Amino acid sequence: MSARSKLWISAAAGLVCAQAMASLFLRQGFALVAVSDITQFILLLAGTIALLLNALATRGRIRLFWALMTLGTAFWWSYQALWIYFEVLARRDVPNPFGGDVVLFLHIVPMTAALALQPHVQPDNRTTRLGTLDFSLLLIWWLYLYLFAVIPWQYVHAYEPNYDHNLNILYLTEKVVFLAGVGMLWFRSQGSWRIIYANWFGAGLTYSLSSYIANWAIERKIYHSGSLYDVPLAISMAWVTAIGIVALHYSGKQQPARASYGVWVARLGMAAVFSLPLFAAWSLFDAGIPQRVRTFRLALTLSSMLIMGTLVFFKQRLLDRELLQLLTASQESFDNLKRLQAQLVQSEKLASLGQLVGGAAHELNNPLTAVMGYSDMLAATELNGEQRILMQKIEHQVRRTRTLVSSLLSFAKQVPTDKTLVDVNTLVQTAVKLCLPQSRGPNVQVHTNFARELPRVLGDSNQLLQVCLHITNNALHALTDTGGTLTVSTRLQDASVLLEFSDDGPGMQEPDRVFDPFYTTRPVGQGPGLGLSVCYGIIQEHNGKITCQNRPEGGAIFRIELPAVVDPAQASVLASHRYESADSLPEAKGILQHQSE
């Protein structure tokens, strides 16, 4: 704590001592009244400023908490200013009934609302919006109670005993509610917030006891302004200043919100609404009150029911909207969960089969190499025509088996590789150029639509080229018999680069299964069915997504999403990592040949 803060607290303690000394040594009269009123005025002003500093130093709901506490203390301070006006400046007693009593009564209302905010817990926007209406209901209810119980005996039918009795009972109830709220938060909080709530509880309890003792002395006609009965009141005022100063040096860590918070505030708001008909019935059937008071209370109750009913209507509309949003969010979460589950199942399939086929492929390579060697030796011997045809069939089947083993190894070796910045437009354009000579249909056309200034992606150029080559080659193969158009496009979508391969061919029989290992629609002997599984693994390893679906107008469409690199700080890196053409890719033609097989 800084020296200035210590000096501030010491000054507040000194004012309390001055109040005590004046109460002990000054006789009843104007000097004692002036010292007592001015001392309490300064203490409340210091407390208001100290709490205001906390409101200025914080944000969000914590700032609103301190702002409401500041407002409540400012009401208290303004009430004390009214007493200075009457007792010090005008040198006369404060009138009774006093119209300014409503200011004293209302100063606890914003403080109670501040407690309902529970600044020690993490904010919840949904409960905060609903809680604002509940707080409004409670505020209107407290105002209604004051107008119902106190105002009729001040303005409608002036009667001082009823006015004092009802005001004291209502004010005591308000202080008990405040103390109960502070005590509950003190019990539930931790760390620095627990210390802050404990001090608020101590200051509130001291103030409540001082008010009770002062009323006890007033009833026995032994109380006068500035007497020793005002010393506990001065202590509670100085305590508020200490709370504001101490809180400036704490950084309260918020706790997770409790589910019961919004429920209890809503229940109190509804209880306030349902209590209005009871007060109306009391006013209607209480024969002991004057007719003018009864009429005033009935009109007040009906007006309050209209206002609070309007707030309940808006709250219900807000709840309906929240319910629709929750239903929509639940549906989206369920859909995302299903997609995630499908991706996890697919990844597990690839991982398990990768380990299995990797070991099997290595074991098959050894006998295949021996058979290939023997077939080469057999080809070098003198064979008749029939024998040579049989030898060539053996060699063909061995080479076909080696191609299958090579595909199995490619499927099993989907491991992270070194990645560089890749120009997707150049990559796709290269894949299209390499696949066009392999087109088997005269009526097959390829259209491209590349977005300009497309951000680059971080990836392995050869692996991504393999994916583009395989999907392009598959689409061209599907268009061989019927003819048609393959459209390849790129664009930026949110923070991802989107590649689309769309054709107007016959489409896919089971688009949900195309990425399953060994799934293929080609005749036996024209492919092992591992190409799209390999593509799926490559895109997953690049933190991307690949999907397949049939177009409503016919044909299939493959979509690939890859994270875009859009950091301006990497501009020089982008310029130095341009993707080369097909001539600089020694693996490209081999990959194309492998995919066509």
Side-chain angles (χ1 to χ4, degrees):
M1 185 178 297
S2 64
R4 181 180 299 179
S5 299
K6 293 179 180 179
L7 180 62
W8 198 339
I9 295 178
S10 299
L15 288 174
V16 174
C17 293
Q19 169 75 63
M21 296 297 291
S23 300
L24 287 172
F25 297 106
L26 291 180
R27 294 182 179 180
Q28 180 179 356
F30 174 75
L32 178 60
V33 171
V35 170
S36 177
D37 287 349
I38 294 174
T39 298
Q40 295 176 16
F41 177 84
I42 295 174
L43 286 173
L44 289 175
L45 178 60
T48 303
I49 295 174
L51 297 179
L52 180 62
L53 292 177
N54 283 275
L56 297 176
T58 53
R59 293 183 179 180
R61 212 156 44 128
I62 299 179
R63 168 175 286 185
L64 182 58
F65 168 80
W66 290 113
L68 291 173
M69 286 296 187
T70 303
L71 180 61
T73 310
F75 280 168
W76 195 5
W77 168 70
S78 62
Y79 180 76
Q80 185 63 33
L82 294 176
W83 276 67
I84 289 181
Y85 170 76
F86 283 102
E87 292 189 336
V88 179
L89 299 181
R91 295 196 177 189
R92 59 189 179 93
D93 293 335
V94 178
N96 190 30
F98 179 38
D101 287 339
V102 66
V103 179
L104 181 65
F105 173 79
L106 288 178
H107 93 273
I108 298 183
V109 174
M111 291 183 171
T112 306
L115 296 178
L117 289 173
Q118 298 194 49
H120 65 283
V121 300
Q122 296 174 356
D124 183 349
N125 293 331
R126 179 175 175 272
T127 55
T128 300
R129 288 193 298 269
L130 295 175
T132 301
L133 292 175
D134 294 325
F135 300 154
S136 301
L137 289 173
L138 293 176
L139 174 60
I140 294 174
W141 187 70
W142 279 111
L143 289 173
Y144 166 79
L145 288 181
Y146 186 85
L147 295 174
F148 184 91
V150 179
I151 292 298
W153 307 114
Q154 182 177 4
Y155 296 108
V156 180
H157 184 83
Y159 189 61
E160 183 177 337
N162 283 357
Y163 174 87
D164 292 337
H165 179 266
N166 290 353
L167 177 61
N168 291 334
I169 293 297
L170 193 58
Y171 192 40
L172 177 62
T173 303
E174 192 178 30
K175 288 182 287 188
V176 170
V177 171
F178 177 77
L179 285 175
V182 176
M184 181 181 65
L185 297 185
W186 180 18
F187 176 76
R188 291 185 174 184
S189 60
Q190 300 174 359
S192 58
W193 279 109
R194 188 177 183 88
I195 298 175
I196 293 173
Y197 290 139
N199 281 275
W200 272 116
F201 185 84
L205 182 62
T206 303
Y207 175 64
S208 300
L209 292 176
S210 66
S211 298
Y212 177 80
I213 295 173
N215 290 331
W216 177 83
I218 291 173
E219 292 177 358
R220 287 158 179 76
K221 301 185 184 300
I222 57 176
Y223 172 83
H224 60 272
S225 296
S227 63
L228 287 174
Y229 298 104
D230 285 346
V231 175
L233 180 63
I235 293 176
S236 65
M237 295 175 178
W239 206 332
V240 173
T241 303
I243 293 172
I245 298 301
V246 171
L248 281 173
H249 300 277
Y250 281 124
S251 56
K253 184 178 180 181
Q254 293 179 310
Q255 306 165 202
R258 294 176 181 262
S260 60
Y261 155 63
V263 174
W264 281 107
V265 175
R267 288 176 179 174
L268 291 175
M270 289 298 100
V273 174
F274 288 128
S275 67
L276 296 182
L278 299 178
F279 283 106
W282 177 21
S283 302
L284 186 62
F285 297 107
D286 187 2
I289 60 176
Q291 181 62 36
R292 287 188 301 174
V293 174
R294 181 183 295 109
T295 304
F296 172 80
R297 286 180 171 178
L298 288 174
L300 173 66
T301 303
L302 291 175
S303 301
S304 300
M305 291 175 66
L306 178 62
I307 296 174
M308 297 178 73
T310 303
L311 290 179
V312 171
F313 171 77
F314 282 113
K315 179 181 178 181
Q316 187 60 45
R317 290 292 302 271
L318 182 60
L319 285 172
D320 292 341
R321 189 173 65 179
E322 293 284 346
L323 179 59
L324 290 176
Q325 292 177 353
L326 287 174
L327 289 175
T328 303
S330 299
Q331 183 64 40
E332 292 178 354
S333 299
F334 180 72
D335 294 339
N336 292 333
L337 183 60
K338 289 177 64 178
R339 286 194 293 268
L340 179 60
Q341 183 180 16
Q343 292 178 1
L344 289 175
V345 171
Q346 185 70 18
S347 299
E348 289 295 331
K349 287 181 181 178
L350 295 177
S352 300
L353 288 173
Q355 295 178 357
L356 175 63
V357 302
H362 282 292
E363 293 298 327
L364 288 174
N365 261 335
N366 295 328
L368 283 176
T369 302
V371 174
M372 181 64 70
Y374 290 133
S375 64
D376 291 340
M377 292 174 60
L378 188 59
T381 62
E382 294 182 1
L383 300 174
N384 57 34
E386 184 178 357
Q387 292 173 338
R388 187 164 297 278
I389 291 175
L390 293 175
M391 183 276 300
Q392 290 175 353
K393 289 183 177 181
I394 293 174
E395 183 180 7
H396 174 73
Q397 294 301 325
V398 170
R399 292 187 183 278
R400 178 183 167 192
T401 306
R402 290 197 66 178
T403 301
L404 174 59
V405 172
S406 177
S407 298
L408 292 174
L409 288 174
S410 298
F411 172 75
K413 291 181 180 179
Q414 294 177 14
V415 295
T417 59
D418 293 335
K419 296 181 177 64
T420 58
L421 293 174
V422 178
D423 185 345
V424 175
N425 285 341
T426 305
L427 182 78
V428 179
Q429 188 175 10
T430 301
V432 172
K433 288 181 179 180
L434 290 172
C435 287
L436 279 177
Q438 305 294 323
S439 176
R440 300 175 178 85
N443 297 324
V444 176
Q445 297 180 355
V446 178
H447 293 166
T448 57
N449 182 17
F450 299 150
R452 295 183 178 181
E453 299 180 358
L454 193 66
R456 303 197 177 193
V457 299
L458 191 64
D460 183 275
S461 58
N462 289 321
Q463 288 187 347
L464 294 178
L465 179 63
Q466 179 183 351
V467 173
C468 295
L469 284 171
H470 187 85
I471 295 177
T472 304
N473 191 55
N474 277 359
L476 294 177
H477 185 275
L479 298 174
T480 299
D481 298 331
T482 61
T485 302
L486 170 64
T487 302
V488 184
S489 62
T490 62
R491 68 176 185 271
L492 181 65
Q493 180 175 290
D494 297 331
S496 300
V497 173
L498 180 63
L499 291 76
E500 288 188 350
F501 299 82
S502 176
D503 66 74
D504 53 4
M508 308 296 294
Q509 295 180 3
E510 296 176 289
D512 296 335
R513 294 189 56 199
V514 295
F515 300 110
D516 288 347
F518 303 107
Y519 174 81
T520 180
T521 58
R522 296 186 182 183
V524 177
Q526 294 190 18
L530 287 172
L532 288 177
S533 297
V534 174
C535 295
Y536 183 91
I538 290 174
I539 297 302
Q540 287 290 312
E541 200 273 327
H542 282 74
N543 298 320
K545 297 179 182 178
I546 179 171
T547 58
C548 172
Q549 63 185 34
N550 288 326
R551 302 169 61 208
E553 58 273 21
I557 180 170
F558 281 83
R559 287 190 178 92
I560 299 175
E561 294 182 30
L562 295 171
V565 179
V566 294
D567 188 358
Q570 296 182 352
S572 59
V573 180
L574 292 174
S576 62
H577 286 83
R578 295 192 59 85
Y579 194 90
E580 303 297 337
S581 63
D583 295 336
S584 62
L585 294 173
E587 300 88 346
K589 296 182 180 179
I591 293 174
L592 177 61
Q593 180 181 2
H594 168 68
Q595 296 296 340
S596 63
E597 291 175 352

